[in-house]
């Protein structure tokens, strides 16, 4: 089996340039699902092209949704809420937790049976957090019991609702702050008799709510509470015409990269600046750096802006990071990038309340501790807290990605500040979210070679 590695050299010159980013992965999944369920034809531009979004696309196609590429756009012929067909094979979600958890909410409400599978990493991730509340509203969904993790994991078996049956109402307090769980339950609520009323411990990304509201779904939010009440609704979702904003989680690696090399000046154009996603900019600002946000209006109910680093105070790290509580939720996917920043910032950075990182594409807490140590720096983890003591990386490093795209990209960025060459193994996983990462980083002036072995 072939494997891809990166060889990264310490940056010899400041990073310079402006770039566009692939569409936001979270918004991409939702845009595909809602286009499929809409009445009419949707047009989606700037979908990420990463494998995760492609898995959602393929699963919907397997349920009879016609989609075609027209130039740079994807055109989707929506089938309406009652138009999905039984897939003739297992739905393979690959590495994509969002595909599996969001589609579970859709499939649980159908009058056909289905089965979802994932790759080795996804098959270890907890699914009880969606199967339990879905069963609580009458769904017939079962994961596979994992004795070690004491949870249900993929494959997920979903049985048809008996002739004419619908899901019940659901009032539910989420035990974990998870937009995937929230979105799964809201999606299932489209086919329920009665309300779906949810409350989360902290507000998580709200793309599902924004998109549902803009398509005419009767939904209300108040702080960390959200309610979908279909009473009196005609059950018709309007089609979308959407230019997906750039992915802030991808931008985070390049924003941090610019902080690794003094004098860098970069701009990421038209990035989604939804506040549920931009916690990383607040953390970097509190560390003395950050990015200037130049607002560029809205796309599909989401704010967008250009992120500029290297202007005014941005671009230099003067103190350690302090993350926890609701802020940890708003930068959960950017913690790997922030750990790279913390590794070179003065002082001890503390990331509290990040236990969820243990059940992402890898055990990110363990992988990040290993990454920081590989650079000759100090990090440790206790319970839900990750601590990084910043310094100057001696020499280079050899880093294992653990098959996790965000660990691979964090290591590449930290490699720019290293004292020697950094080798990162198993980087094909970056294609799940950001296939163009290496090319963009090179375009900014970094030296990163791709080695196929
Ligand atoms: C996502 C929600 C988050 C995030 C993931 C994408 C989404 O996961 O980490 O990358 O699109 O809803 P959780 O819901 O597990 O927190």
């Amino acid at each position: 089996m072939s494997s891809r590695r990166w060889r990264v050299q310490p940056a010899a010159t400041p990073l310079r340039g402006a770039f566009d980013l692939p569409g936001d992965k979270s918004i991409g999944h939702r845009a595909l699902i809602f286009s499929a369920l809409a009445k009419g034809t949707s047009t989606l531009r700037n979908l990420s092209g990463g494998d995760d979004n492609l898995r959602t696309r393929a699963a919907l196609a397997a349920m009879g949704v016609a989609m075609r590429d027209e130039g740079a756009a994807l055109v989707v012929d929506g089938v309406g809420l009652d138009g999905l067909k039984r897939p003739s094979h297992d739905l393979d979600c690959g590495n994509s937790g969002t595909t599996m958890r969001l589609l579970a909410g859709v499939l649980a409400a159908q009058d056909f049976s289905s089965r979802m599978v994932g790759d080795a990493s996804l098959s270890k991730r907890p699914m009880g957090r969606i199967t339990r509340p879905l069963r609580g509203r009458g769904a017939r969904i079962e994961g596979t019991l994992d004795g070690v993790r004491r949870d249900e994991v993929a494959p997920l078996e979903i049985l048809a609702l008996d002739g004419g049956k619908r899901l019940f109402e659901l009032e539910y307090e989420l035990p974990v702050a998870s937009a995937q769980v929230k979105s799964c339950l809201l999606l299932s609520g489209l086919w329920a008799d009665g309300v779906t009323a949810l409350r989360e411990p902290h507000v998580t990304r709200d793309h599902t709510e924004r998109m549902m509201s803009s398509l005419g779904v009767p939904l209300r939010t108040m702080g960390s509470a959200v309610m979908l009440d279909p009473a009196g609704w005609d059950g018709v979702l309007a089609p979308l015409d959407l230019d997906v904003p750039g992915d802030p989680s991808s931008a985070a690696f390049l924003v941090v990269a610019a902080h690794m090399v003094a004098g860098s000046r970069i701009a990421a154009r038209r990035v989604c600046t939804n506040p549920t996603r931009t916690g990383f900019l607040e953390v970097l600002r509190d560390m003395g750096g950050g990015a200037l946000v130049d607002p560029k209006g809205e796309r599909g109910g989401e704010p967008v802006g250009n992120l500029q680093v290297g202007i005014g105070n941005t671009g230099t790290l003067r103190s350690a990071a302090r993350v926890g509580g609701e802020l940890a939720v708003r930068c959960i996917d950017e913690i790997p990038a922030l750990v790279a920043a913390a590794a070179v910032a003065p002082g001890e950075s503390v990331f509290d309340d990040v236990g969820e990182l243990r059940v992402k594409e890898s055990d990110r807490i363990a992988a990040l501790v290993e990454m920081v140590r590989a650079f000759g720096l100090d990090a440790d983890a206790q319970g839900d807290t990750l601590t990084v003591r910043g310094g100057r990386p001696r020499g280079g490093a050899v880093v294992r990605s653990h098959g996790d795209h965000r660990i691979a990209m964090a290591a590449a960025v930290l490699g720019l500040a290293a004292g020697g060459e950094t080798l990162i193994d198993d980087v094909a996983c970056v294609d799940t979210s950001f296939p163009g990462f290496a090319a963009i980083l090179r375009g900014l002036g970094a030296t990163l070679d791709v080695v196929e072995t």
Side-chain angles (χ1 to χ4, degrees):
M1 208 174 73
S2 78
S3 144
R4 199 186 305 162
R5 308 175 95 193
W6 284 336
R7 201 184 298 137
V8 182
Q9 307 302 330
T13 52
L15 304 183
R16 290 286 161 95
F19 50 88
D20 292 300
L21 286 162
D24 183 68
K25 185 156 77 80
S26 291
I27 297 175
H29 286 296
R30 288 151 174 87
L32 286 162
I33 294 171
F34 288 119
S35 297
L37 300 177
K39 192 166 180 193
T41 300
S42 294
T43 305
L44 307 177
R45 287 171 294 274
N46 199 36
L47 277 168
S48 93
D51 191 61
D52 282 12
N53 275 184
L54 291 177
R55 297 291 175 160
T56 294
R57 175 178 170 174
L60 294 165
M63 288 187 272
V65 179
M67 306 187 195
R68 57 195 177 276
D69 293 296
E70 277 186 12
L74 179 72
V75 177
V76 182
D77 292 328
V79 296
L81 283 187
D82 297 324
L84 294 175
K85 303 264 183 307
R86 181 180 206 273
S88 60
H89 53 79
D90 288 352
L91 300 174
D92 187 349
C93 304
N95 192 244
S96 177
T98 313
T99 302
M100 185 169 279
R101 293 196 179 117
L102 266 55
L103 286 182
V106 173
L107 294 168
Q110 305 302 315
D111 58 4
F112 56 77
S113 299
S114 54
R115 187 166 187 269
M116 280 194 288
V117 299
D119 71 6
S121 151
L122 181 53
S123 304
K124 290 186 202 146
R125 298 180 64 185
M127 292 296 152
R129 53 180 64 188
I130 53 163
T131 54
R132 279 189 295 271
L134 284 172
R135 284 195 291 266
R137 74 184 323 175
R140 301 198 298 158
I141 178 167
E142 296 279 349
T144 310
L145 267 183
D146 182 320
V148 180
R149 290 175 187 84
R150 299 221 201 107
D151 205 332
E152 290 168 67
V153 295
L156 298 182
E157 299 280 354
I158 302 136
L159 296 182
L161 288 179
D162 288 337
K165 265 204 182 152
R166 289 172 61 86
L167 296 175
F168 322 132
E169 66 175 21
L170 176 74
E171 196 180 325
Y172 188 64
E173 193 136 341
L174 274 68
V176 282
S178 163
Q180 291 177 355
V181 175
K182 173 176 63 174
S183 303
C184 165
L185 298 175
L186 286 174
L187 278 162
S188 70
L190 292 172
W191 289 270
D193 283 335
V195 301
T196 303
L198 310 175
R199 184 178 287 280
E200 9 180 32
H202 291 296
V203 178
T204 61
R205 63 192 70 196
D206 60 356
H207 309 302
T208 302
E209 296 92 306
R210 285 175 189 249
M211 209 174 275
M212 277 188 167
S213 297
S214 74
L215 303 179
V217 178
L219 178 129
R220 274 180 295 147
T221 55
M222 210 170 61
S224 63
V226 52
M227 187 165 92
L228 191 172
D229 183 358
W233 179 46
D234 62 3
V236 175
L237 289 144
L240 289 87
D241 183 355
L242 177 66
D243 218 335
V244 182
D247 195 330
S249 302
S250 299
F253 291 100
L254 299 159
V255 166
V256 169
H259 286 77
M260 293 286 158
V261 198
S264 293
R265 203 178 160 119
I266 66 155
R269 286 188 288 254
R270 286 179 289 280
V271 178
C272 175
T273 52
N274 179 325
T276 62
R277 300 290 300 283
T278 50
F280 75 99
L281 291 176
E282 294 164 41
V283 178
L284 288 172
R285 190 197 55 210
D286 290 346
M287 295 170 82
L292 211 78
V293 181
D294 179 13
K296 292 288 173 200
E298 277 201 3
R299 281 190 194 174
E302 298 279 351
V304 296
N306 293 352
L307 307 185
Q308 298 173 320
V309 187
I311 295 172
N313 276 344
T314 62
T316 314
L317 300 172
R318 296 185 181 81
S319 56
R322 184 83 227 197
V323 175
E326 66 87 34
L327 181 56
V329 173
R330 290 192 298 111
C331 64
I332 197 71
D333 286 346
E334 294 72 44
I335 302 275
L338 291 172
V339 164
V344 299
E348 183 175 279
S349 289
V350 180
F351 298 86
D352 276 324
D353 308 318
V354 295
E356 272 295 296
L357 292 181
R358 293 204 186 276
V359 290
K360 296 290 181 190
E361 287 83 328
S362 69
D363 175 346
R364 284 191 178 149
I365 294 193
L368 288 168
V369 167
E370 187 182 303
M371 175 189 85
V372 172
R373 291 183 180 166
F375 283 91
L377 299 166
D378 189 20
D380 55 60
Q382 227 169 18
D384 288 352
T385 300
L386 171 63
T387 306
V388 180
R389 282 167 279 275
R392 282 197 131 267
R394 286 175 257 126
V398 178
V399 183
R400 290 194 297 158
S401 74
H402 295 270
D404 184 333
H405 54 137
R406 296 202 165 110
I407 302 298
M409 290 187 277
V413 163
L414 186 49
L416 299 175
E421 180 175 280
T422 298
L423 281 172
I424 306 155
D425 79 1
D426 192 10
V427 298
C429 51
V430 172
D431 290 352
T432 58
S433 68
F434 195 2
F437 170 77
I440 292 183
L441 197 59
R442 267 199 301 266
L444 297 175
T447 306
L448 181 157
D449 298 314
V450 181
V451 187
E452 303 278 355
T453 51

